[in-house]
Amino acid sequence: MATDMKRVLDTLGIATDQINPGISTGLEFFIGEGQPIESFSPVDGASIASIGTAGANDYSVMMKKAHDAYEKWRLVPAPRRGEIVRQLGDEFRKYKNELGMLVSYEMGKSYQEGLGEVQEMIDICDFAVGLSRQLYGLTMHSERPLHRMYEQWHPLGVVGIITAFNFPVAVWSWNTAIAWVCGNVTIWKPSEKTPLCSLACQRITARVFERNEVPEGVSCIINGDYRIGEWLTSDSRIPLISATGSVRMGKMVGTAVAQRLGRALLELGGNNAIIVTEHANLNLAIRGVLFGAVGTAGQRCTTTRRIIVHESVYDDFKQRLANAYTQLKIGNPLDPTIHVGPLIDKQAVNNYLQAIEKARAEGATFVVEGGVLEGTGFSSGCYVKPCIAEVENSYSIVQSETFAPILYMIKYHSLEEAIAMQNNVPQGLSSAIFTNHLMEAEKFLSTQGSDCGIANVNIGTSGAEIGGAFGGEKETGGGRESGSDAWKQYMRRQTNTINYGSSLPLAQGIEFAF
């Protein structure tokens, strides 16, 4: 491990010579009863550090502290809760470089993307501060004289958060910053592949909470395997589970939560497409496709997986895109000149190789060949070549999501055909069109157009801003996180009617005399 990384870990409160606590209820940190897990970096294959995991007793203790904290935290005025979140945003600003470097080293995304992920945390804290003064309801006119109706919003209680490895800190912050200003407390189950990021976030949060005398249990983390997720999803004391991950995982979470009539906010897979029309600025489109397809080594839920190109510009675009791929630099993501880092682990590499073989077996022709990189700088075995395959949209492999830098290229004749191909997959997260033609852009955004939760014009499928609600349709789960009115998912709506008269008229003119 490089000296700089050792300094980063020390700064973030992560020990490399002993087991780190994997459970925290705020200011208190515990090793836990479970077997420790080791965090390995896909950058060089090195063991970074060990972290504790929870047993059933640890879970029970944490849940009690979370519920006790909720009884106090919900009574803190929302603007005061927002002020504490504002301070947390400032604390993340102080540690942006170090936390961004840890994200890059533990997960494998480029350092620039690691910094961008921490910036998302800062941005959502800023957003939540303003939101803390805008948790508004509506006033309605009653049909009964001398009556007033209105609605108000109350916190839910304990919010469970399950996150994936690809955004090991940002997705947690999207949920917690909003949940906290709404008056909830949170329990975070991070990915087993990136446990140190959760510990670093909790160390930073604890400093802010201690200064502000925030009750123990408002911010909880609990590291461990799939059993932790099962405890959370089946626990009726948790009214909302926000889960990010695969469609397979989401179906299990959704089923378990539905059985107890709880709420599930699901952010699942994407099979995102970009349509490039004959009226597109091809230089702009190349940039959008390139980052969308290879950013985070293809391990974003918003990664561009399909590119649907009009037949009149298809050959030109293919040549330009293939040339752009030759200029990509693959290697250590902490090097600022590198575009593409490693996949998260060797299982991800196997999935990548299997997808390539399936595509080839179905008839794909590779414009840019893939493969695993070996030799100096690639010792972890997790570095692969981003590739491009010419396919038909109907191929079974194209209908599924492979978390890797594989881009499928498809030719189309009419815009209606392109939109139909884009929509004809089980997933519905992000989509984009590159065109300078107003009618094409508007049609893409209309009810006849994209069926995705995100639809962009002249930008790629990746890189959503926190001001808009993030999420998708169909097998993507239907959840919405981050901006706009996504806060309503973390609260319960209550309708109130007040009679300030001296009689008791009934609604709908019902007479009830006695």
Side-chain angles (χ1 to χ4, degrees):
M1 186 185 301
T3 303
D4 283 351
M5 185 52 62
K6 180 66 166 63
R7 176 191 58 79
V8 165
L9 295 174
D10 289 342
T11 302
L12 295 173
I14 295 170
T16 57
D17 57 350
Q18 62 190 56
I19 299 174
N20 290 274
I23 309 158
S24 174
T25 54
L27 305 181
E28 297 182 10
F29 291 79
F30 310 91
I31 298 295
E33 301 170 331
Q35 288 296 315
I37 55 177
E38 201 84 5
S39 174
F40 292 92
S41 171
V43 175
D44 53 16
S47 170
I48 310 174
S50 298
I51 191 167
T53 63
N57 185 62
D58 299 317
Y59 179 81
S60 296
V61 169
M62 186 193 60
M63 280 299 302
K64 183 178 188 310
K65 292 204 173 188
H67 271 276
D68 290 347
Y70 171 64
E71 296 298 318
K72 301 172 184 176
W73 182 245
R74 65 179 177 172
L75 301 179
V76 176
R80 173 59 186 159
R81 298 193 296 253
E83 163 58 18
I84 294 168
V85 171
R86 183 196 66 77
Q87 294 177 36
L88 182 60
D90 286 345
E91 202 74 9
F92 285 133
R93 284 181 173 91
K94 292 180 187 177
Y95 293 95
K96 180 178 177 179
N97 291 337
E98 290 82 3
L99 189 52
M101 191 171 289
L102 174 59
V103 168
S104 178
Y105 188 59
E106 188 175 34
M107 184 267 150
K109 64 176 59 176
S110 74
Y111 180 45
Q112 282 300 313
E113 290 183 80
L115 292 174
E117 186 167 347
V118 181
Q119 186 61 49
E120 285 191 50
M121 304 175 77
I122 296 166
D123 292 344
I124 197 65
C125 286
D126 288 348
F127 178 88
V129 175
L131 179 64
S132 68
R133 294 180 182 270
Q134 298 182 63
L135 302 173
Y136 48 80
L138 298 173
T139 299
M140 290 80 74
H141 287 278
S142 173
E143 66 184 60
R144 289 167 285 186
L146 304 180
H147 282 60
R148 181 166 67 89
M149 293 178 62
Y150 71 97
E151 66 178 25
Q152 59 180 327
W153 296 83
H154 298 294
L156 290 173
V158 180
V159 173
I161 303 166
I162 301 172
T163 60
F165 73 86
N166 59 332
F167 280 87
V169 296
V171 174
W172 166 74
S173 70
W174 293 355
N175 285 275
T176 50
I178 304 300
W180 287 340
V181 298
C182 289
N184 302 295
V185 303
T186 59
I187 296 176
W188 178 21
K189 193 278 181 198
S191 169
E192 304 98 295
K193 298 178 181 181
T194 51
L196 300 179
C197 286
S198 69
L199 178 57
C201 288
Q202 188 74 341
R203 293 286 194 197
I204 293 169
T205 302
R207 284 191 282 272
V208 175
F209 279 18
E210 183 176 22
R211 289 198 301 264
N212 290 275
E213 299 181 342
V214 173
E216 186 79 25
V218 170
S219 177
C220 299
I221 62 168
I222 182 165
N223 274 283
D225 59 19
Y226 69 93
R227 288 172 296 180
I228 305 296
E230 290 178 348
W231 295 342
L232 290 169
T233 55
S234 62
D235 196 329
S236 60
R237 295 170 295 179
I238 303 177
L240 172 65
I241 294 289
S242 176
T244 303
S246 68
V247 173
R248 175 179 171 274
M249 181 274 285
K251 288 180 177 179
M252 290 190 292
V253 169
T255 299
V257 175
Q259 284 179 339
R260 59 180 177 84
L261 298 180
R263 302 189 194 181
L265 193 169
L266 301 176
E267 298 288 358
L268 310 175
N271 191 351
N272 316 294
I274 293 178
I275 297 172
V276 179
T277 80
E278 68 267 42
H279 302 111
N281 178 330
L282 296 188
N283 290 329
L284 203 64
I286 289 291
R287 293 179 64 85
V289 171
L290 193 62
F291 177 72
V294 308
T296 321
Q299 297 173 113
R300 291 184 176 217
C301 52
T302 54
T303 290
T304 304
R305 309 212 178 274
R306 296 174 295 143
I307 177 75
I308 304 169
V309 185
H310 191 267
E311 59 189 9
S312 66
V313 295
Y314 185 88
D315 290 337
D316 183 19
F317 191 82
K318 179 172 69 172
Q319 183 177 351
R320 293 194 196 194
L321 188 59
N323 181 62
Y325 266 57
T326 65
Q327 300 173 54
L328 290 173
K329 295 179 181 178
I330 308 168
N332 188 328
L334 296 174
D335 180 342
T337 68
I338 292 297
H339 301 112
V340 184
L343 294 178
I344 186 64
D345 54 26
K346 291 182 179 179
Q347 180 58 54
V349 174
N350 289 336
N351 293 341
Y352 159 86
L353 293 173
Q354 290 172 12
I356 288 175
E357 289 310 308
K358 287 179 182 178
R360 202 185 303 276
E362 290 191 79
T365 302
F366 281 81
V367 178
V368 176
E369 291 284 348
V372 180
L373 292 167
E374 300 175 342
T376 305
F378 306 122
S379 59
S380 69
C382 295
Y383 292 86
V384 301
K385 300 175 186 177
C387 63
I388 305 172
E390 292 184 279
V391 300
E392 297 294 333
N393 197 63
S394 59
Y395 290 0
S396 62
I397 189 62
V398 178
Q399 296 286 306
S400 61
E401 178 189 45
T402 303
F403 239 44
I406 304 173
L407 180 63
Y408 299 117
M409 194 167 185
I410 306 162
K411 186 184 295 185
Y412 81 90
H413 175 69
S414 69
L415 183 59
E416 292 77 12
E417 178 190 13
I419 292 172
M421 283 194 289
Q422 180 207 274
N423 293 344
N424 191 27
V425 293
Q427 311 83 0
L429 178 52
S430 188
S431 60
I433 189 171
F434 278 84
T435 180
N436 288 334
H437 196 290
L438 178 63
M439 294 178 69
E440 288 180 336
E442 289 295 337
K443 185 166 188 175
F444 180 75
L445 300 177
S446 74
T447 55
Q448 304 173 66
S450 171
D451 66 357
C452 296
I454 299 169
N456 299 326
V457 175
N458 291 334
I459 64 170
T461 57
S462 281
E465 298 180 29
I466 60 92
F470 179 89
E473 302 301 323
K474 301 188 292 188
E475 285 194 355
T476 301
R480 292 297 185 274
E481 294 173 326
S482 192
S484 185
D485 64 348
W487 62 270
K488 292 180 179 179
Q489 294 180 99
Y490 302 88
M491 303 195 81
R492 60 181 176 88
R493 187 197 309 251
Q494 184 181 79
T495 301
N496 308 113
T497 305
I498 300 170
N499 178 4
Y500 57 93
S502 58
S503 61
L504 190 66
L506 299 177
Q508 293 85 47
I510 293 174
E511 296 289 342
F512 187 73
F514 67 96

